[in-house]
């Protein structure tokens, strides 16, 4: 015999299967990785002209960094600082107003 499972009132079996499938494919990141990614992403959104430019910066290969900035920031605190320094350097010329 098959196992009997408890179904929430009003939930269909399709809804339960979708929730189970989505939950199994998630990757859990360590809190320190999430913090570094968040910090670098926030800085990118604040320092670059628009959302699309920030996303392109974070997700495109950067030869100077040796990879995608979001991946570099994820690896270590030193990597996150390298990406942040690059973003601050991009901001510096725009901040100077004559």
């Amino acid at each position: 015999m098959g196992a009997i499972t408890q179904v929430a009132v009003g939930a269909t079996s399709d809804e339960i299967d979708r929730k189970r499938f989505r939950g199994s494919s998630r990757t859990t990141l360590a809190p320190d990785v999430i913090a570094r990614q968040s910090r670098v992403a926030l800085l990118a959104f604040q320092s670059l002209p628009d959302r699309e430019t920030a996303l392109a910066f974070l997700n495109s290969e950067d030869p100077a960094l040796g990879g995608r900035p979001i991946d570099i920031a994820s690896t270590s605190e030193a990597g996150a600082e390298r990406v942040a320094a690059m973003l601050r350097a991009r901001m510096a010329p725009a901040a100077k107003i004559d």
Side-chain angles (χ1 to χ4, degrees), residues 40 55-75 79 82-83 86 90:
V40 167
L55 289 173
F57 169 78
L58 291 168
N59 293 301
S60 298
E61 291 287 324
D62 189 299
L65 290 171
R68 293 182 335 143
I70 197 69
D71 293 337
I72 301 299
S74 299
T75 59
R82 285 179 48 216
V83 175
M86 180 176 275
R90 288 184 179 196

Side-chain angles (χ1 to χ4, degrees), residues 7-8 15 18 25 29 50 52 57 64 67-68 75 79 81 85 88 90-91 94:
V7 177
E15 290 171 357
R18 280 193 306 266
S25 65
L29 297 175
D50 55 48
E52 290 76 26
F57 169 78
R68 293 182 335 143
T75 59
E81 186 49 44
R88 286 191 294 271
R90 288 184 179 196
M91 282 177 41

